[in-house]
Structure formats: structure tokens, C-alpha cells
Amino acid sequence: MWKKEWPKHSVLAIAIIATWLKTYLTYKTSFSITIDNVLQEFILFINPLSMLLFVYGIALFFKSEKARNRYILAIALISSIILYANVAFYRFFSDFITLPVLFQTDNFGDLGSSASESVFITDLVYFTDVILILLAMKFIRIIPASNLNLAVQRKAYFIISAAVLFFNLGLAEMERPQLLTRGFDREMLVKNIGMYNYHLYDMYVQSKSQAQRALANGSELVEVNNYIRANQPDPSKDMFGAAEGRNLIVVTLESLQSFTINGEMGGKPITPFLSELTKDEDTIYFPNFYHQTGLGKTSDSEFLVENSLYPLSGGAVFFTHSGNTFNSMAESLGNKGYHTSVQHANTKSFWNRDIMYQSLGIDQFFDIESYTIGEGDAVNWGMKDIPFMEQSVEHMADLPQPFYTRLLTLTNHHPFYLDEEDKLIDEFDSNSGTVNRYFQTARYLDESVKVLFEELKEQGLYENSVIVMYGDHYGISENHNEAMAQYLGKEITPYESAQLQKVPFFVHIPGFGEGYVDEEIGGQIDIRPTVMHLLGVDSEQDIQFGGDLFSEEHEEFVAFRDGRFITDKHVYAGNVCYDIETGIETDKAACEPSIEPAMTELEYSESIINGDLLRFYDEKNGQLILSEDELKKLDKEQQRLKEDTQN
Ligand code: GP9
Ligand code: MN
């Protein structure tokens, strides 16, 4: 029976195997996908299978052989086109296709001109499976079989297909936890779930955000705008324009938490350079400054810096909404004549940066390709911070001035591995290797900042620049509370956990001469207005949730992405209200007045992102761009409000 049935579907079997193997060979020959171990290679090998089994398997529902064959051929062609389109795209952009890229007009110009250069006649090899399937259809004689067990066979087939899919997803989750909730990197997605599943995932992510976008008409912005206008602090008179016309260098200190500043390990300072800098006459240091990132980690911190909007509660906004309209700091400074860039020695598609930076109006992206990684220059995630700083300053020397450049460091990243010769202090001694190693990589990061300052001086760039540095997010997660409690010598309560979300924030203005430690409570959301005002750039009309930290009116209020918040008197964490000074639990009523505002801000920000609302806003004149109908409705509403107040 089985023998009789088998040949009937031999074309199907050939199709699945041929497309599967072709896809794997294409991975290996046409893309540079980094493979670190055998498990990764195995995942890469099996990952085309889950989708192919499902899609080709639909052929089992066709009764006539002709229809079945046509369907199989159509699938072979479509999958080949998808794969080949990626090959051609990759030749030019070193990246996989994502839907927004097809809709970004800037890219289209490049696509058109590069298409002819990226396509060769020998590329027919990418259609080998189609040819094989055609041959099979022509030459294999199908033995007629009874259809008696068809339903059972189909069921078994799809159960096996589902098992393959879950097996693949399970391995992917093991290899990269939270891959599908966070997105991370297209290369990582293709590597773990496969090219075909990746496109399905991409379509899902993009269509979800497109649907929310389609429902918005701009009227949502009225309330948000009123809220922002009512809450924006005026710039500080003393500090506005204090660094006018200077270059702006923003350094993201990977995973650096504030407890490392002025902290010790084995009798030695963890961050000698940065700790000394807090006392420097040209530095304003903020010890009560918090990160506000969510799942998008570094990219969320970048999003906060550029837009002063909160990142999303789920997923990384760099991935989900890279096609939105933004009014970034880069764009504003660009309009003032600044050349804008980001420097980061990692793959450009990580966190979808290559696409998102275009939406943020960043002129130039120095990714891994812009760096020369000599022997011994790489560790852990890639290039070490010291050579990274050296080469980044070389890039700066060639930039037109004034420039705004952001440097993203990388060595102090989980799992915090470091070469022996770069270990400048002892490891900690606890049951957590992660915590133990963290001190050494943090120490190395500190050394790289010292190198940055030296190099800037050497290149003559130092005096005419302002250097802003911030920690992007925690390095030590709550999984390591026991080891952290051992280091800090106190129990990690929800209050302490919230306090551990403090990250350093430095504003260094060479020649300023009036440096001090500013105890003001603030967060990453405040960086944009603080820095723009320092450079003398107005942000009065901007849609932003942060405030100038130098302003006398700045409100001491920091909402975390997960709903926890900090005020000048309280810490609200785990539904408990704590006194900020003592860490002692207080009556929840004390926090009550801020619970609502924290939620409101987060929701307003989320609605701006989901509805792509900034496309309805003209920041040059602070006007909403609404349709006739919406304007009429708004007029009526205002009229009614006026009458109400008069009565
Ligand atoms: C990757 C780097 C680290 O390019 O920014 O990202 P993270 O894991 O910290 O978000
Ligand atoms: Mn990071």
C-alpha cells in the first residue's frame, strides 16, 4: 500500500528536497551568514524545511495530477524568485529584503541602477530546482494509486510539518531567546527561522503597523499636542546656546550602570576616567539619571535620544516602525547645517539600523565595513572599543564641521568576554560569571573613553566639540540579583532594582569651567531637548516628552517603559510605593497622583508611533496637518468649548 502510494507524490518529494537543498546552498554561497557553532549550522540547514513542507504540502489537496503539478511549479517559481531577489539585493546592499525598503523612494533609485549590475545570466542556477521539478514531471511515471487513505496521510503529513516547524522554532529560541518578539537582526532571523519564514514574519510585523497607521487621521494629535505644549519646560537661560556651533559627539556607553561610577573592585576603581570626569570643571554629571529602554535595548536608547519619544511596550520600534515620519535630533541639527552620522562597528542591519537611520535623517552610517579590524582587535561581539574609538576619531577628522556623530560602543556587552591583556582589574567573586566579568569589561570601556578624549585632543577636535555620554541600559539583569546583592552589600528589593536602572549621563563642554554634579532626576527622554538647547537649537514646537535638564522648570519625573516610575519623592515599582530617600515602603496613595500621568505619557507616545502621527505635524510652525473635515470638526469642538466656558 505504502509502496503504491509513494510514487504518486514523488514529484512533490523531489520538489521539497530540491528547493530545500538549493536554499541551503544559496545561504552558503550567496550570503555571508556568520556561523559560530555546529548547532547554528544545523539550524541553518533545516530552516528552509518547515515552510517548504507546508506550502508544497497544499499540493496534496489537489485531485488532478495536472493541477497538482501546476501548483508545485508555481511554488517552486515563487520561492525561487523570493530567494533570488534576495541574492541580487544582497550583492548590492549586503542585506536581506524587508518590505519598507521596497517602499522607501530613496532606495528605489539605488535599486533600479543596481539591478542591472547585480543580475547575471549564470544566475539561472538559482532556478535549478524549478528545472529539476519540470524534468521530474516530464519523465517520472506515476503509478496510479487508490485514494482511500488520503485524508489520513494528509493529516500525518501536516502533523510532521508542524513538528518540524516547532522543532525549528524551539532551536531558534534556544539559540537566540526572544528572537520573534524583538526582531534583532535580519541576518539572525534568516539564520534561525529561514529565508521564507523570515519574509512571512516581516510581512506580519509590517502589516500590523500599517493597519494601525491606516486607521489614524491626525486628529489624535490634538490632545497629545495640547498635553506636550502644557508640559514643556522653557530652556535654561544660562545654558541655552552654551555650546552653540560646536560639534556634537554622543557616546553610548554599552550596558554601563551608574553603580560603576566611583565604584571599586578589588581596591581599584571600576571606571577611573569617568569617575574623575564627574569632578571635572568642564563636566556636568547626572547621578540620578535612568534608562527608559524596553525590548529594543540599545536601539531603544537611540530612539529616545533622537526623538524624545518612549520606545514601544513590545518589540523594537527600530524594527516595527522604521517607515514612520520622525522629527529626530539628527534631522533638526541637519537643518542647522550639521553633518550627521552614527559610528558602530557591527553589521549595519543589526536593529534594522541601516533602514531606520534613513528615516531618522542620519547622513552617514559608519558600520563594520568602515573599520579595519586588525589582529587582536576583536572580542565578544566584535571590534574592541579602544581601536573603535581610535578609528572613529579618524573618521571625524574627515567630516565636514560642525558635525553630530554618535558612537556606539560594544565591548561591555553581555556575556562580557575580554582578552587577558585587556583585563585591567580583578574579576568579582560570586556565583555569577556574568557579574564577575562585567567589572572588567566596564573597566575596559572606561579606558576606551579615555582614549577617545586623547585622540580628540590629538586631532584638534576636542576644544570645538561637546561630548555627551550616556549608559544605554542595564548590563546586569535581575537574574543576577544574588550576586549583585553580594557586591552592593544589600538585598535587591523592587526599590533597589529600580535604582539599579540608573545609568550615567555626562555633558562635557571643553572650556566650560563651571562643572558640577547635577542631582536632578531625569532620564534618556530628556537628552534630546537638553542637548539641542545646549547647542542653541530651539525645540519649542517639537513633539517630545522629555524636558531640558538644565531648565529650572524641568519636572523630576521618569517613567520606565514597563510602567515603573520615579519622582522627586517616590519610587513606584512592583505596584508598591517607596520613599526615594530611604527605600522604605510608603502608602500607595503617595504615588497615586503620578500613576495616571505615567500611563498617559506612555500611551500618547505609543499612539504617535503606531499611528505614524508625526506625518500630520509640521514642526516648523507647530501646526497640525489635517484634512478639511478634521479641521472643521476641530473648529466646531473649539467653538463648543468656548461657549461652554462663557456660559
Ligand atoms: C548591537 C549593539 C548591542 O549592534 O548595539 O545591542 P544590545 O543587545 O545592547 O541592544
Ligand atoms: Mn546595548
Side-chain angles (χ1 to χ4, degrees), residues 254 296-298 344 346 350-351 353 381 410 413 472-473:
E254 177 59 47
K297 302 298 278 290
T298 309
H344 182 43
N346 196 2
F350 204 101
W351 287 132
R353 287 187 174 104
W381 274 53
L410 198 53
H413 193 289
D472 59 350
H473 48 75

Side-chain angles (χ1 to χ4, degrees), residues 367-429:
D367 64 46
I368 187 82
E369 305 289 336
S370 305
Y371 292 85
T372 313
I373 305 180
E375 205 173 309
D377 278 355
V379 73
N380 197 10
W381 274 53
M383 192 175 196
K384 292 180 185 173
D385 290 341
I386 291 181
F388 163 72
M389 291 296 194
E390 288 166 348
Q391 292 183 32
S392 297
V393 176
E394 281 172 28
H395 295 154
M396 285 183 222
D398 292 335
L399 290 176
Q401 297 194 35
F403 58 74
Y404 159 35
T405 192
R406 279 201 286 117
L407 311 187
L408 306 175
T409 57
L410 198 53
T411 309
N412 188 38
H413 193 289
H414 186 268
F416 311 113
Y417 291 141
L418 203 58
D419 286 341
E420 232 24 74
E421 70 262 26
D422 297 318
K423 294 179 178 168
L424 303 170
I425 51 171
D426 291 340
E427 270 199 11
F428 184 49
D429 182 18

Side-chain angles (χ1 to χ4, degrees), residues 319-371:
F319 248 103
T320 54
H321 293 81
S322 61
N324 274 18
T325 299
F326 295 107
N327 171 23
S328 67
M329 178 151 83
E331 193 182 307
S332 296
L333 294 183
N335 291 339
K336 294 278 171 198
Y338 274 75
H339 177 276
T340 60
S341 62
V342 175
Q343 312 203 42
H344 182 43
N346 196 2
T347 340
K348 63 181 180 178
S349 64
F350 204 101
W351 287 132
N352 197 27
R353 287 187 174 104
D354 50 348
I355 309 284
M356 185 60 164
Y357 286 173
Q358 295 186 31
S359 295
L360 293 175
I362 292 164
D363 297 329
Q364 204 174 350
F365 180 18
F366 298 92
D367 64 46
I368 187 82
E369 305 289 336
S370 305
Y371 292 85

